[in-house]
Amino acid sequence: MQKKLFFAPDAIRYAVIGDPVAHSRSPGMQNAAFAEMGMGKPYGKFHVHPSELPDFIAFAREHLLGVNLTVPHKREVIPLLDEIDPAAALAGSVNTLRIEAGRITGYSTDGYGLIAALKEEFGIAPAGKHILFVGAGGAAQATAFSLAEAGAASIAIANRSVLRAEELAAAIGNACPKCRMSALALADRTGLGAQILGADVLIQATSLGLKPEDPPPFDPALLKGSRCAVFDTIYRRTPVLEGAQAAGLPAAGGRAMLIHQGARSFAIWTGREPDLDAMRRGFEEEPGSC
Ligand code: NDP
């Protein structure tokens, strides 16, 4: 296969890659933080097809200082790295690359972003809490390990494919034996209802809700009578958020998670804490959805 050549203007030293990537709000958010520190606007975006990932990594090694990765590259990039942060290795997911003298280290900041978002939105820390994940894809995988490591008492994972939920629950249980893990099928209405009633926090981590016409991943009527805080990783208004609000529950979309995971990436690259308000403004100004 022909090698793909990537080019970046001289000013570009950081970038997000994905397939698709046009919708990414990371450039607006990160450039706002860089500009606030007088560092210009050095963050771009590259559309990278899965087959082009090795060529992009070779380009990044020579020309860039930092990269964010989104779907579908978070796992596939791992064999191409020189080093991986232990937390990212455990989660099997990398969303941030730091490049120093041509050496690439991979990190995962999604778990940090989710924990910071739960604190910001609900004042909740994971220690001792009962967490219910709806979804067992890349986002759940990248974040559930962090919640277990941060001391969650239990994590239940409900997914359309119950096998995927069982595998993730088993992997987390092996790594964090103090956290009680369980898995169930999203279609198990009775089981899901019981989990919702016992949960302190419900995290909606399926991709349902990205499109306005998407149905909810479960019947929002199951939220009635619960006391859980509902966090949707998607940052538009979703049927799950509407159901939570109708049930009188605390509810928040994924904007704060995206901002905090980006802020952590920024700190990994620069050694400095970014201005979160500037990042929030940059997020709002950037057209797109994630
Ligand atoms: P994946 O493709 O890895 O996983 C998709 C998940 O959605 C799986 O659990 C899948 O179930 C489930 N799903 C898809 N379609 C259906 C359906 N019709 N019915 C029931 N379940 C379904 O995606 P990611 O995990 O990477 O992303 C999930 C969400 O997280 C996205 O909406 C993304 O925007 C969001 N996200 C937000 C971030 C933030 O910072 N706010 C960061 C990262 C992600 P199954 O396994 O059965 O296929």
Side-chain angles (χ1 to χ4, degrees):
M1 192 172 169
Q2 207 181 354
K3 191 174 166 67
K4 172 154 175 182
L5 295 176
F6 290 92
F7 294 100
D10 279 351
I12 295 299
R13 288 288 172 264
Y14 303 87
V16 58
I17 66 166
D19 178 26
V21 77
H23 60 292
S24 176
R25 294 201 188 192
S26 290
M29 198 173 78
Q30 295 288 1
N31 278 328
F34 279 112
E36 189 69 24
M37 288 189 179
M39 295 169 76
K41 294 193 170 183
Y43 191 106
K45 68 172 100 163
F46 290 88
H47 179 226
V48 178
H49 186 269
S51 66
E52 298 163 353
L53 186 60
D55 289 340
F56 177 81
I57 294 298
F59 160 80
R61 199 181 282 285
E62 275 191 44
H63 297 285
L64 301 182
L65 300 173
V67 175
N68 283 131
L69 305 101
T70 184
V71 176
H73 301 310
K74 291 184 182 185
R75 174 176 281 277
E76 282 63 23
V77 75
I78 292 175
L80 305 172
L81 305 175
D82 300 304
E83 259 181 80
I84 182 165
D85 179 67
L90 191 63
S93 177
V94 163
N95 76 334
T96 302
L97 307 182
R98 180 180 183 202
I99 304 157
E100 257 186 324
R103 253 188 101 66
I104 305 186
T105 307
Y107 301 83
S108 176
T109 69
D110 285 326
Y112 172 92
L114 176 59
I115 290 174
L118 295 178
K119 180 97 186 142
E120 178 178 310
E121 300 285 7
F122 308 128
I124 288 179
K129 297 294 187 295
H130 299 285
I131 314 272
L132 170 60
F133 270 88
V134 175
Q141 183 186 327
T143 56
F145 280 93
S146 300
L147 294 181
E149 283 209 308
S154 72
I155 299 180
I157 303 173
N159 198 44
R160 177 175 61 176
S161 148
V162 71
L163 181 63
R164 203 172 181 190
E166 285 167 352
E167 286 175 354
L168 181 55
I172 298 170
N174 280 338
C176 307
K178 283 191 185 152
C179 184
R180 204 167 65 250
M181 298 299 306
S182 58
L184 70 157
L186 207 42
D188 172 3
R189 188 181 167 94
T190 309
L192 186 64
Q195 287 293 346
I196 290 174
L197 284 179
D200 297 304
V201 183
L202 183 156
I203 295 160
Q204 195 304 105
T206 75
S207 41
L208 282 182
L210 279 174
K211 289 182 249 136
E213 67 274 19
D214 279 345
F218 63 91
D219 180 0
L222 290 174
L223 293 166
K224 288 195 186 111
S226 151
R227 57 184 172 80
C228 62
V230 176
F231 186 86
D232 199 317
T233 58
I234 294 172
Y235 32 78
R236 56 181 300 283
R237 196 169 163 76
T238 65
V240 168
L241 288 181
E242 282 169 5
Q245 278 158 357
L249 301 176
R255 184 187 83 150
M257 177 176 163
L258 186 83
I259 287 167
H260 286 291
Q261 62 78 28
R264 185 83 193 111
S265 298
F266 186 98
I268 286 170
W269 297 325
T270 64
R272 296 166 71 182
E273 294 302 326
D275 181 329
L276 289 174
D277 285 334
M279 292 186 96
R280 287 185 190 103
R281 285 195 300 275
F283 172 93
E284 297 302 344
E285 284 160 16
E286 182 87 8
S289 62
C290 93

